[in-house]
Amino acid sequence: MGQGEDRFYVCIYLEDGEPIGHRGGLNKEFPPKLKTKKEDFDDDSVPKVKRSGMDEICKQFIEVMMGYLEYVPIILQLAPLLSHQMVQRALTSFLEKNCNSCEREETRIIYELSLQRFAAIRRFEENMLAAASTSRTLPRLLTVGLVASLEYSLNLVMKEIAARYPERIFGEDRKLSVREVLQFQSIEEVRETVINDEIDKAQRDNFESQVDWILGKSKLDPIFDKYPDWPKIIELFERRNLFVHANGIVNEHYLKARAKYKFTSQKEPRLGDELHSGPKYYTASVHHVIHFGAMLLQVVWRKIAPDETKLSDKSIGDLGYELIARGQYKLAIRILEFAKELRNVSDDQRRRMNVVNLANAYKLSGDEKTSFRVLESLDWSAVSPEFKVSVAAIKGNVDDVVLLMKKIGVSGDFPSENYEQWPVFYGVRDDPKFVECFRSIFGVEYVPAARKQAGIAQVLAWAEEQDISPDEDESPKIVESNVKLQPPQGEE
């Protein structure tokens, strides 16, 4: 590598001394100000890349789902605690400033206040009750958002199908009167209006009908009886409807759907019961939505755009790898098992990449036996050293890994970052022989990436290092509010 080619630069932009964004590059030629508006990038110096519509839909779906998978659970945990703590701090400050006197003991402080402060204290109690209710309402709102995100992706798929195959949208029974036709300026406007009406009608149907519409217009067979978690997906949508329209209270419609689709749960709900969205249910729901959504997008994409197989292969393979990098091994296994069974994969290299990542996901999840069985499903004798070193690393054969590392050497096709970043090396990278071999080849110390390389894990690790979490010594401990004030006699 030539001088200067082994480094890059990151520019942090500041506003009032606080970081507001960043840009990266191979040189220090950064603009003086952060470009944030879309029009700032609409110039001839920026290459225009035309992407597939389905590729964009899949990227958008995955980006949104990664937020529900990682960031939203943190919000669910912290929001009720922080809101309660904020109210508790404000109450303590108010009491310190407005009390007549106080008695301080080791475990409590008793404040004396005049009755004219009663209304203010009761307001604090109301705020604490509102903060406590956050733990129930927030998961419901986020569950509703999760379902809406999947529905939005289905909306985009419908429009993509219509754009590619408008003739499939027109039903044989769709007729327009002469008066209706004369209201349009052109046949193209008539076609666009009819297509939009058909899509709007489909979107007003229930989730099952929307999926059925997409499969039908894509010339695909129904999947309801082939997808084992279909009842769980339907239950999620039915529960969403209860959250939106019935405050979570079980009604006759939900019970009928439960009987029809055979919902399963530890406790059978009865009419009038209240359903919730606890951490376990929410996490499972996110996994179901990602798995089902990714599968549906893939089968539709491959059917309506068979010339884009290479793009669709990359999309599902990258999703599996990204889930492994984020520590979501079980979900990665489901995605990569699906990818492994896909027909008409673009090339042998992509198929082998998926198999390697699947085997590694099993290994990292603790199922070494299945991991080895997945690897043994293919012959690795004639593959490149890069594949061989990955397979050896998953199997834990450090000696073989070291020999292959020396054979690969300093290669532009297999840079040092691969050994530091790729999850396939998690099982061998702590071995002294591996570390020493890396040092001898690249001339630098081995700096492994965190096992959870992406998402909120990095932010939380940094926050812990900086000790920026709330200081319990500076604020009252968060406990359940037990304030039960009654108005003074004569007051309402």
Side-chain angles (χ1 to χ4, degrees), residues 107-133:
T107 60
R108 63 179 185 173
I109 306 174
I110 301 176
Y111 296 93
E112 178 187 299
L113 298 100
S114 62
L115 283 178
Q116 69 185 64
R117 302 296 184 190
F118 175 81
I121 298 299
R122 187 164 61 175
R123 179 65 63 186
F124 276 108
E125 180 192 19
E126 293 170 354
N127 290 335
M128 285 184 177
L129 292 175
S133 69

PDB file of all heavy atoms in Angstrom, residues 107-133:
ATOM      1  N   THR A 107     -33.328   6.661  55.638  1.00  0.00           N
ATOM      2  CA  THR A 107     -34.058   6.071  54.519  1.00  0.00           C
ATOM      3  C   THR A 107     -35.237   6.903  54.050  1.00  0.00           C
ATOM      4  O   THR A 107     -35.959   6.480  53.153  1.00  0.00           O
ATOM      5  CB  THR A 107     -34.571   4.680  54.911  1.00  0.00           C
ATOM      6  OG1 THR A 107     -35.446   4.795  56.054  1.00  0.00           O
ATOM      7  CG2 THR A 107     -33.413   3.751  55.231  1.00  0.00           C
ATOM      8  N   ARG A 108     -35.455   8.082  54.666  1.00  0.00           N
ATOM      9  CA  ARG A 108     -36.601   8.879  54.234  1.00  0.00           C
ATOM     10  C   ARG A 108     -36.454  10.325  54.687  1.00  0.00           C
ATOM     11  O   ARG A 108     -35.642  10.651  55.538  1.00  0.00           O
ATOM     12  CB  ARG A 108     -37.897   8.291  54.782  1.00  0.00           C
ATOM     13  CG  ARG A 108     -37.970   8.316  56.298  1.00  0.00           C
ATOM     14  CD  ARG A 108     -39.290   7.746  56.797  1.00  0.00           C
ATOM     15  NE  ARG A 108     -39.412   7.877  58.245  1.00  0.00           N
ATOM     16  CZ  ARG A 108     -40.516   7.576  58.919  1.00  0.00           C
ATOM     17  NH1 ARG A 108     -41.579   7.121  58.272  1.00  0.00           N
ATOM     18  NH2 ARG A 108     -40.558   7.718  60.237  1.00  0.00           N
ATOM     19  N   ILE A 109     -37.265  11.185  54.047  1.00  0.00           N
ATOM     20  CA  ILE A 109     -37.357  12.594  54.426  1.00  0.00           C
ATOM     21  C   ILE A 109     -38.836  12.939  54.539  1.00  0.00           C
ATOM     22  O   ILE A 109     -39.610  12.686  53.610  1.00  0.00           O
ATOM     23  CB  ILE A 109     -36.700  13.523  53.391  1.00  0.00           C
ATOM     24  CG1 ILE A 109     -35.250  13.111  53.118  1.00  0.00           C
ATOM     25  CG2 ILE A 109     -36.754  14.974  53.855  1.00  0.00           C
ATOM     26  CD1 ILE A 109     -34.607  13.915  52.007  1.00  0.00           C
ATOM     27  N   ILE A 110     -39.230  13.478  55.671  1.00  0.00           N
ATOM     28  CA  ILE A 110     -40.624  13.856  55.886  1.00  0.00           C
ATOM     29  C   ILE A 110     -40.724  15.376  55.807  1.00  0.00           C
ATOM     30  O   ILE A 110     -40.075  16.093  56.575  1.00  0.00           O
ATOM     31  CB  ILE A 110     -41.137  13.361  57.242  1.00  0.00           C
ATOM     32  CG1 ILE A 110     -41.013  11.828  57.327  1.00  0.00           C
ATOM     33  CG2 ILE A 110     -42.576  13.813  57.472  1.00  0.00           C
ATOM     34  CD1 ILE A 110     -41.410  11.268  58.677  1.00  0.00           C
ATOM     35  N   TYR A 111     -41.509  15.864  54.842  1.00  0.00           N
ATOM     36  CA  TYR A 111     -41.672  17.300  54.639  1.00  0.00           C
ATOM     37  C   TYR A 111     -42.989  17.768  55.245  1.00  0.00           C
ATOM     38  O   TYR A 111     -44.016  17.079  55.152  1.00  0.00           O
ATOM     39  CB  TYR A 111     -41.664  17.645  53.154  1.00  0.00           C
ATOM     40  CG  TYR A 111     -40.359  17.354  52.456  1.00  0.00           C
ATOM     41  CD1 TYR A 111     -40.154  16.133  51.808  1.00  0.00           C
ATOM     42  CD2 TYR A 111     -39.341  18.306  52.427  1.00  0.00           C
ATOM     43  CE1 TYR A 111     -38.962  15.864  51.152  1.00  0.00           C
ATOM     44  CE2 TYR A 111     -38.142  18.047  51.768  1.00  0.00           C
ATOM     45  CZ  TYR A 111     -37.953  16.820  51.134  1.00  0.00           C
ATOM     46  OH  TYR A 111     -36.774  16.570  50.494  1.00  0.00           O
ATOM     47  N   GLU A 112     -42.971  18.949  55.840  1.00  0.00           N
ATOM     48  CA  GLU A 112     -44.194  19.584  56.323  1.00  0.00           C
ATOM     49  C   GLU A 112     -44.512  20.749  55.398  1.00  0.00           C
ATOM     50  O   GLU A 112     -43.671  21.612  55.144  1.00  0.00           O
ATOM     51  CB  GLU A 112     -43.999  20.104  57.750  1.00  0.00           C
ATOM     52  CG  GLU A 112     -45.225  20.832  58.295  1.00  0.00           C
ATOM     53  CD  GLU A 112     -44.958  21.486  59.635  1.00  0.00           C
ATOM     54  OE1 GLU A 112     -44.623  20.759  60.588  1.00  0.00           O
ATOM     55  OE2 GLU A 112     -45.057  22.735  59.700  1.00  0.00           O
ATOM     56  N   LEU A 113     -45.779  20.768  54.887  1.00  0.00           N
ATOM     57  CA  LEU A 113     -46.192  21.823  53.971  1.00  0.00           C
ATOM     58  C   LEU A 113     -47.522  22.402  54.422  1.00  0.00           C
ATOM     59  O   LEU A 113     -48.306  21.742  55.111  1.00  0.00           O
ATOM     60  CB  LEU A 113     -46.333  21.294  52.545  1.00  0.00           C
ATOM     61  CG  LEU A 113     -45.057  20.737  51.892  1.00  0.00           C
ATOM     62  CD1 LEU A 113     -45.043  19.227  51.970  1.00  0.00           C
ATOM     63  CD2 LEU A 113     -44.940  21.201  50.455  1.00  0.00           C
ATOM     64  N   SER A 114     -47.791  23.602  53.994  1.00  0.00           N
ATOM     65  CA  SER A 114     -49.086  24.215  54.268  1.00  0.00           C
ATOM     66  C   SER A 114     -50.125  23.642  53.311  1.00  0.00           C
ATOM     67  O   SER A 114     -49.794  23.166  52.222  1.00  0.00           O
ATOM     68  CB  SER A 114     -49.003  25.732  54.106  1.00  0.00           C
ATOM     69  OG  SER A 114     -48.663  26.059  52.768  1.00  0.00           O
ATOM     70  N   LEU A 115     -51.402  23.681  53.730  1.00  0.00           N
ATOM     71  CA  LEU A 115     -52.461  23.102  52.917  1.00  0.00           C
ATOM     72  C   LEU A 115     -52.592  23.768  51.555  1.00  0.00           C
ATOM     73  O   LEU A 115     -53.104  23.156  50.604  1.00  0.00           O
ATOM     74  CB  LEU A 115     -53.797  23.200  53.656  1.00  0.00           C
ATOM     75  CG  LEU A 115     -54.002  22.174  54.782  1.00  0.00           C
ATOM     76  CD1 LEU A 115     -55.326  22.415  55.463  1.00  0.00           C
ATOM     77  CD2 LEU A 115     -53.930  20.761  54.232  1.00  0.00           C
ATOM     78  N   GLN A 116     -52.142  24.996  51.416  1.00  0.00           N
ATOM     79  CA  GLN A 116     -52.267  25.672  50.129  1.00  0.00           C
ATOM     80  C   GLN A 116     -51.374  25.019  49.065  1.00  0.00           C
ATOM     81  O   GLN A 116     -51.527  25.283  47.872  1.00  0.00           O
ATOM     82  CB  GLN A 116     -51.920  27.151  50.258  1.00  0.00           C
ATOM     83  CG  GLN A 116     -50.445  27.427  50.547  1.00  0.00           C
ATOM     84  CD  GLN A 116     -50.176  28.890  50.786  1.00  0.00           C
ATOM     85  OE1 GLN A 116     -50.692  29.463  51.760  1.00  0.00           O
ATOM     86  NE2 GLN A 116     -49.407  29.496  49.903  1.00  0.00           N
ATOM     87  N   ARG A 117     -50.427  24.170  49.490  1.00  0.00           N
ATOM     88  CA  ARG A 117     -49.568  23.463  48.542  1.00  0.00           C
ATOM     89  C   ARG A 117     -50.155  22.106  48.127  1.00  0.00           C
ATOM     90  O   ARG A 117     -49.564  21.391  47.325  1.00  0.00           O
ATOM     91  CB  ARG A 117     -48.186  23.216  49.167  1.00  0.00           C
ATOM     92  CG  ARG A 117     -47.464  24.466  49.600  1.00  0.00           C
ATOM     93  CD  ARG A 117     -47.138  25.355  48.431  1.00  0.00           C
ATOM     94  NE  ARG A 117     -46.371  26.519  48.817  1.00  0.00           N
ATOM     95  CZ  ARG A 117     -46.116  27.550  48.009  1.00  0.00           C
ATOM     96  NH1 ARG A 117     -46.583  27.518  46.761  1.00  0.00           N
ATOM     97  NH2 ARG A 117     -45.421  28.581  48.436  1.00  0.00           N
ATOM     98  N   PHE A 118     -51.323  21.771  48.683  1.00  0.00           N
ATOM     99  CA  PHE A 118     -51.892  20.453  48.436  1.00  0.00           C
ATOM    100  C   PHE A 118     -52.177  20.228  46.946  1.00  0.00           C
ATOM    101  O   PHE A 118     -51.864  19.165  46.390  1.00  0.00           O
ATOM    102  CB  PHE A 118     -53.182  20.258  49.223  1.00  0.00           C
ATOM    103  CG  PHE A 118     -53.870  18.959  48.902  1.00  0.00           C
ATOM    104  CD1 PHE A 118     -53.455  17.776  49.484  1.00  0.00           C
ATOM    105  CD2 PHE A 118     -54.920  18.919  47.993  1.00  0.00           C
ATOM    106  CE1 PHE A 118     -54.083  16.578  49.176  1.00  0.00           C
ATOM    107  CE2 PHE A 118     -55.547  17.731  47.679  1.00  0.00           C
ATOM    108  CZ  PHE A 118     -55.125  16.551  48.279  1.00  0.00           C
ATOM    109  N   ALA A 119     -52.766  21.219  46.273  1.00  0.00           N
ATOM    110  CA  ALA A 119     -53.115  21.058  44.855  1.00  0.00           C
ATOM    111  C   ALA A 119     -51.875  20.787  44.011  1.00  0.00           C
ATOM    112  O   ALA A 119     -51.896  19.967  43.085  1.00  0.00           O
ATOM    113  CB  ALA A 119     -53.845  22.297  44.354  1.00  0.00           C
ATOM    114  N   ALA A 120     -50.782  21.467  44.328  1.00  0.00           N
ATOM    115  CA  ALA A 120     -49.543  21.269  43.572  1.00  0.00           C
ATOM    116  C   ALA A 120     -49.007  19.854  43.774  1.00  0.00           C
ATOM    117  O   ALA A 120     -48.543  19.200  42.829  1.00  0.00           O
ATOM    118  CB  ALA A 120     -48.503  22.298  43.987  1.00  0.00           C
ATOM    119  N   ILE A 121     -49.065  19.360  45.024  1.00  0.00           N
ATOM    120  CA  ILE A 121     -48.572  18.010  45.294  1.00  0.00           C
ATOM    121  C   ILE A 121     -49.448  16.973  44.595  1.00  0.00           C
ATOM    122  O   ILE A 121     -48.953  15.982  44.051  1.00  0.00           O
ATOM    123  CB  ILE A 121     -48.531  17.741  46.814  1.00  0.00           C
ATOM    124  CG1 ILE A 121     -47.576  18.714  47.502  1.00  0.00           C
ATOM    125  CG2 ILE A 121     -48.116  16.306  47.089  1.00  0.00           C
ATOM    126  CD1 ILE A 121     -46.150  18.598  47.028  1.00  0.00           C
ATOM    127  N   ARG A 122     -50.745  17.221  44.588  1.00  0.00           N
ATOM    128  CA  ARG A 122     -51.628  16.269  43.912  1.00  0.00           C
ATOM    129  C   ARG A 122     -51.339  16.231  42.405  1.00  0.00           C
ATOM    130  O   ARG A 122     -51.441  15.181  41.774  1.00  0.00           O
ATOM    131  CB  ARG A 122     -53.092  16.634  44.151  1.00  0.00           C
ATOM    132  CG  ARG A 122     -54.056  15.577  43.606  1.00  0.00           C
ATOM    133  CD  ARG A 122     -55.457  15.712  44.158  1.00  0.00           C
ATOM    134  NE  ARG A 122     -56.055  16.998  43.809  1.00  0.00           N
ATOM    135  CZ  ARG A 122     -57.327  17.312  44.113  1.00  0.00           C
ATOM    136  NH1 ARG A 122     -58.073  16.453  44.796  1.00  0.00           N
ATOM    137  NH2 ARG A 122     -57.814  18.477  43.777  1.00  0.00           N
ATOM    138  N   ARG A 123     -50.943  17.387  41.850  1.00  0.00           N
ATOM    139  CA  ARG A 123     -50.582  17.413  40.437  1.00  0.00           C
ATOM    140  C   ARG A 123     -49.358  16.530  40.174  1.00  0.00           C
ATOM    141  O   ARG A 123     -49.292  15.832  39.162  1.00  0.00           O
ATOM    142  CB  ARG A 123     -50.301  18.843  40.005  1.00  0.00           C
ATOM    143  CG  ARG A 123     -49.890  18.995  38.546  1.00  0.00           C
ATOM    144  CD  ARG A 123     -50.991  18.602  37.598  1.00  0.00           C
ATOM    145  NE  ARG A 123     -52.146  19.454  37.734  1.00  0.00           N
ATOM    146  CZ  ARG A 123     -53.291  19.275  37.104  1.00  0.00           C
ATOM    147  NH1 ARG A 123     -53.427  18.221  36.321  1.00  0.00           N
ATOM    148  NH2 ARG A 123     -54.309  20.100  37.271  1.00  0.00           N
ATOM    149  N   PHE A 124     -48.412  16.555  41.092  1.00  0.00           N
ATOM    150  CA  PHE A 124     -47.247  15.680  40.952  1.00  0.00           C
ATOM    151  C   PHE A 124     -47.669  14.218  40.973  1.00  0.00           C
ATOM    152  O   PHE A 124     -47.146  13.381  40.222  1.00  0.00           O
ATOM    153  CB  PHE A 124     -46.240  15.946  42.077  1.00  0.00           C
ATOM    154  CG  PHE A 124     -45.318  17.100  41.801  1.00  0.00           C
ATOM    155  CD1 PHE A 124     -45.451  18.287  42.489  1.00  0.00           C
ATOM    156  CD2 PHE A 124     -44.315  16.988  40.849  1.00  0.00           C
ATOM    157  CE1 PHE A 124     -44.608  19.354  42.246  1.00  0.00           C
ATOM    158  CE2 PHE A 124     -43.454  18.050  40.603  1.00  0.00           C
ATOM    159  CZ  PHE A 124     -43.600  19.245  41.303  1.00  0.00           C
ATOM    160  N   GLU A 125     -48.613  13.899  41.850  1.00  0.00           N
ATOM    161  CA  GLU A 125     -49.085  12.518  41.926  1.00  0.00           C
ATOM    162  C   GLU A 125     -49.717  12.094  40.602  1.00  0.00           C
ATOM    163  O   GLU A 125     -49.481  10.987  40.113  1.00  0.00           O
ATOM    164  CB  GLU A 125     -50.101  12.363  43.056  1.00  0.00           C
ATOM    165  CG  GLU A 125     -50.620  10.927  43.172  1.00  0.00           C
ATOM    166  CD  GLU A 125     -51.824  10.813  44.086  1.00  0.00           C
ATOM    167  OE1 GLU A 125     -52.458  11.853  44.336  1.00  0.00           O
ATOM    168  OE2 GLU A 125     -52.129   9.707  44.530  1.00  0.00           O
ATOM    169  N   GLU A 126     -50.497  12.992  40.001  1.00  0.00           N
ATOM    170  CA  GLU A 126     -51.126  12.684  38.717  1.00  0.00           C
ATOM    171  C   GLU A 126     -50.066  12.439  37.643  1.00  0.00           C
ATOM    172  O   GLU A 126     -50.198  11.544  36.804  1.00  0.00           O
ATOM    173  CB  GLU A 126     -52.059  13.820  38.310  1.00  0.00           C
ATOM    174  CG  GLU A 126     -53.278  13.968  39.209  1.00  0.00           C
ATOM    175  CD  GLU A 126     -54.055  15.241  38.922  1.00  0.00           C
ATOM    176  OE1 GLU A 126     -53.570  16.050  38.099  1.00  0.00           O
ATOM    177  OE2 GLU A 126     -55.137  15.434  39.519  1.00  0.00           O
ATOM    178  N   ASN A 127     -49.011  13.247  37.680  1.00  0.00           N
ATOM    179  CA  ASN A 127     -47.931  13.067  36.703  1.00  0.00           C
ATOM    180  C   ASN A 127     -47.205  11.741  36.902  1.00  0.00           C
ATOM    181  O   ASN A 127     -46.773  11.108  35.947  1.00  0.00           O
ATOM    182  CB  ASN A 127     -46.932  14.221  36.804  1.00  0.00           C
ATOM    183  CG  ASN A 127     -47.516  15.528  36.296  1.00  0.00           C
ATOM    184  OD1 ASN A 127     -48.434  15.528  35.479  1.00  0.00           O
ATOM    185  ND2 ASN A 127     -46.997  16.647  36.777  1.00  0.00           N
ATOM    186  N   MET A 128     -47.071  11.329  38.173  1.00  0.00           N
ATOM    187  CA  MET A 128     -46.423  10.050  38.430  1.00  0.00           C
ATOM    188  C   MET A 128     -47.281   8.893  37.929  1.00  0.00           C
ATOM    189  O   MET A 128     -46.763   7.907  37.393  1.00  0.00           O
ATOM    190  CB  MET A 128     -46.152   9.891  39.923  1.00  0.00           C
ATOM    191  CG  MET A 128     -44.989  10.728  40.415  1.00  0.00           C
ATOM    192  SD  MET A 128     -44.647  10.395  42.150  1.00  0.00           S
ATOM    193  CE  MET A 128     -43.196  11.448  42.370  1.00  0.00           C
ATOM    194  N   LEU A 129     -48.579   9.008  38.102  1.00  0.00           N
ATOM    195  CA  LEU A 129     -49.466   7.968  37.592  1.00  0.00           C
ATOM    196  C   LEU A 129     -49.400   7.911  36.070  1.00  0.00           C
ATOM    197  O   LEU A 129     -49.424   6.838  35.468  1.00  0.00           O
ATOM    198  CB  LEU A 129     -50.903   8.234  38.058  1.00  0.00           C
ATOM    199  CG  LEU A 129     -51.145   8.082  39.560  1.00  0.00           C
ATOM    200  CD1 LEU A 129     -52.574   8.499  39.906  1.00  0.00           C
ATOM    201  CD2 LEU A 129     -50.885   6.650  40.011  1.00  0.00           C
ATOM    202  N   ALA A 130     -49.304   9.089  35.443  1.00  0.00           N
ATOM    203  CA  ALA A 130     -49.177   9.126  33.982  1.00  0.00           C
ATOM    204  C   ALA A 130     -47.870   8.490  33.541  1.00  0.00           C
ATOM    205  O   ALA A 130     -47.816   7.758  32.547  1.00  0.00           O
ATOM    206  CB  ALA A 130     -49.254  10.568  33.496  1.00  0.00           C
ATOM    207  N   ALA A 131     -46.792   8.757  34.297  1.00  0.00           N
ATOM    208  CA  ALA A 131     -45.497   8.150  33.969  1.00  0.00           C
ATOM    209  C   ALA A 131     -45.558   6.639  34.112  1.00  0.00           C
ATOM    210  O   ALA A 131     -45.000   5.894  33.300  1.00  0.00           O
ATOM    211  CB  ALA A 131     -44.410   8.729  34.874  1.00  0.00           C
ATOM    212  N   ALA A 132     -46.237   6.170  35.153  1.00  0.00           N
ATOM    213  CA  ALA A 132     -46.347   4.728  35.363  1.00  0.00           C
ATOM    214  C   ALA A 132     -47.137   4.061  34.232  1.00  0.00           C
ATOM    215  O   ALA A 132     -46.839   2.937  33.821  1.00  0.00           O
ATOM    216  CB  ALA A 132     -47.010   4.448  36.701  1.00  0.00           C
ATOM    217  N   SER A 133     -48.165   4.773  33.725  1.00  0.00           N
ATOM    218  CA  SER A 133     -48.977   4.186  32.655  1.00  0.00           C
ATOM    219  C   SER A 133     -48.209   4.075  31.348  1.00  0.00           C
ATOM    220  O   SER A 133     -48.615   3.342  30.442  1.00  0.00           O
ATOM    221  CB  SER A 133     -50.236   5.028  32.432  1.00  0.00           C
ATOM    222  OG  SER A 133     -49.915   6.295  31.867  1.00  0.00           O
TER     223      SER A 133
END
